[in-house]
């Protein structure tokens, strides 16, 4: 899997790549699990955390479900 991080080019209708991160499928799955764990910990923190809500329209466009953690 390759994740490409882009930034817009000012004054142009295009973007340029800042970084490309390549990883195996196993590493990608571990990354997802680690991110999920960190987000759950953030939401559960009574002093700093809050529920992170996602717009329903975006989830629908991406054909994703807002599954309970």
């Amino acid at each position: 899997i390759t994740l490409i991080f882009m930034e817009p080019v000012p004054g142009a209708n295009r973007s340029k790549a800042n970084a490309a991160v390549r990883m195996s499928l196993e590493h990608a799955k571990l990354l997802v699990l680690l991110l999920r764990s960190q987000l759950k910990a953030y939401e559960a923190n009574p002093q700093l955390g809050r529920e992170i809500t996602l717009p329903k329209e975006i989830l629908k466009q991406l054909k994703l479900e807002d599954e309970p953690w």
Side-chain angles (χ1 to χ4, degrees):
I1 288 186
T2 302
L3 301 175
I4 300 174
F5 295 90
M6 310 282 287
E7 74 171 310
V9 175
N13 192 18
R14 62 185 183 91
S15 299
K16 70 174 185 171
N18 276 351
V21 179
R22 293 178 182 89
M23 65 185 85
S24 68
L25 295 174
E26 292 83 4
H27 284 114
K29 189 168 186 177
L30 282 172
L31 178 60
V32 167
L33 294 173
L34 287 169
L35 287 171
R36 179 178 173 195
S37 174
Q38 291 295 309
L39 289 168
K40 282 175 64 172
Y42 172 81
E43 288 183 325
N45 184 324
Q47 284 125 2
L48 302 173
R50 62 174 178 77
E51 182 179 355
I52 302 167
T53 58
L54 301 171
K56 301 283 184 211
E57 308 82 50
I58 292 175
L59 292 171
K60 187 176 179 180
Q61 286 175 357
L62 296 172
K63 297 179 182 163
L64 295 173
E65 294 181 19
D66 193 8
E67 301 172 359
W69 293 98

